[in-house]
Amino acid sequence: MMCKKATVTGILVMITVCLTGCFSSNPKDIEAFLQPYKVNVTADKYALQPPDEVEVHCVKVPEIHLQRQRIRPDGKISFEGLGEVEAAGKTAAEVANSLRTKVAELYKLPGENLIDIRIVVYRSKVYYVLGEVYVPGPKTYNGRDTVLSAIAEAQLNPMAWKERIQIIRPSPDKNVRPQIFEVNFDRMAAHGDTSKNVMLHEGDVIFVPPTVLSAIAMKIEEVVRPIGRAFSAVYIVNAAGYGGGGGGYGGGGYGGY
């Protein structure tokens, strides 16, 4: 009996060590993130991309005034009589300048800055919340998203390891490692410790790992579930009469399975 307890304890310790080793957090990586009390936004400009939507304001040209356009997959918007305008990768002001040039070919309008482009739907920029949350997946980035607001919106489930939530800023350059640090959500939510409530940037990832016991339970379930399905299939076959008497698979011996 003591031997079994020691074996189980040893397995739990090994799993805990393995899970701990899965995290690559570096406390100094928090320096790569912007603090909400130091800046107003996390991006100095917003580059339009599909499927963002814009609205045109130009009271002197009723044909386009208050028209809404969703940026197409090819990165363009189009207007009857004016043609297509490149929008992807440009700011709203740059799109307004391009549209102003086209309008000037058809209309002679006095004054400057007669056309204003306003972004009305932000959809192209996202960050991600993954792991043990009720609402995982991509989240629309608005430039003021914080760790606390993102986690609160995604809603941690009972399996979440609240003390070891990983905040990750991926690196597109294979020679530059991603920036990662940990957040203790319990300390943040229950004790008001917002020292790590950093602002998120487009493309950031929040990963909520399972607790040690939850991870063990999921591993056990991975093993047990196929076995359970196999026994369930056998039961269904037996219930249908294929294993009974001497007429089933394997004769009378199989019927007593």
Side-chain angles (χ1 to χ4, degrees):
M1 187 69 177
M2 292 295 294
C3 183
K4 289 183 178 180
K5 288 184 177 180
T7 302
V8 172
T9 302
I11 292 173
L12 292 175
V13 170
M14 289 177 63
I15 293 175
T16 302
V17 171
C18 290
L19 286 172
T20 302
C22 291
F23 302 118
S24 53
S25 305
N26 184 347
K28 291 185 178 179
D29 282 352
I30 194 172
E31 297 173 2
F33 294 75
L34 300 176
Q35 299 288 345
Y37 51 80
K38 291 184 179 179
V39 293
N40 292 322
V41 294
T42 54
D44 56 0
K45 66 177 182 178
Y46 187 94
L48 294 162
Q49 296 290 348
D52 290 333
E53 292 185 22
V54 297
E55 185 176 79
V56 181
H57 286 252
C58 183
V59 293
K60 294 189 176 181
V61 184
E63 293 87 344
I64 62 173
H65 183 52
L66 298 182
Q67 271 204 37
R68 280 196 177 192
Q69 293 279 342
R70 176 179 294 182
I71 300 175
R72 305 192 311 239
D74 63 358
K76 299 177 181 179
I77 56 177
S78 59
F79 301 89
E80 185 177 355
L82 296 176
E84 297 181 333
V85 176
E86 293 282 353
K90 295 182 178 181
T91 64
E94 290 170 337
V95 174
N97 286 334
S98 298
L99 187 57
R100 192 176 299 116
T101 300
K102 286 186 172 292
V103 169
E105 296 174 359
L106 299 177
Y107 303 91
K108 290 186 177 181
L109 302 176
E112 298 180 355
N113 301 323
L114 298 173
I115 298 178
D116 181 28
I117 296 291
R118 301 177 187 179
I119 306 173
V120 290
V121 178
Y122 296 82
R123 286 180 176 165
S124 65
K125 309 292 188 292
V126 298
Y127 63 91
Y128 304 88
V129 183
L130 307 173
E132 302 305 320
V133 294
Y134 286 115
V135 191
K139 311 293 180 181
T140 302
Y141 163 76
N142 62 29
R144 288 293 301 170
D145 306 288
T146 65
V147 170
L148 182 58
S149 65
I151 296 175
E153 180 182 352
Q155 303 174 37
L156 300 178
N157 68 36
M159 300 177 70
W161 196 347
K162 299 178 182 179
E163 295 80 13
R164 301 210 62 179
I165 295 176
Q166 308 287 294
I167 313 300
I168 306 163
R169 181 156 295 169
S171 172
D173 187 346
K174 63 180 181 180
N175 298 317
V176 178
R177 69 175 182 82
Q179 305 293 312
I180 307 172
F181 74 96
E182 286 184 358
V183 165
N184 184 329
F185 185 73
D186 265 348
R187 188 179 301 158
M188 181 181 292
H191 303 287
D193 181 2
T194 58
S195 60
K196 292 188 176 181
N197 187 31
V198 300
M199 292 183 67
L200 299 172
H201 198 276
E202 173 197 355
D204 282 351
V205 178
I206 297 178
F207 174 65
V208 182
T211 63
V212 174
L213 292 179
S214 297
I216 293 172
M218 286 189 289
K219 289 295 182 183
I220 293 174
E221 185 181 9
E222 287 180 13
V223 176
V224 172
R225 182 177 293 178
I227 298 174
R229 287 180 177 176
F231 277 104
S232 176
V234 170
Y235 173 79
I236 292 172
V237 170
N238 286 341
Y242 286 98
Y249 293 98
Y254 193 87
Y257 184 84

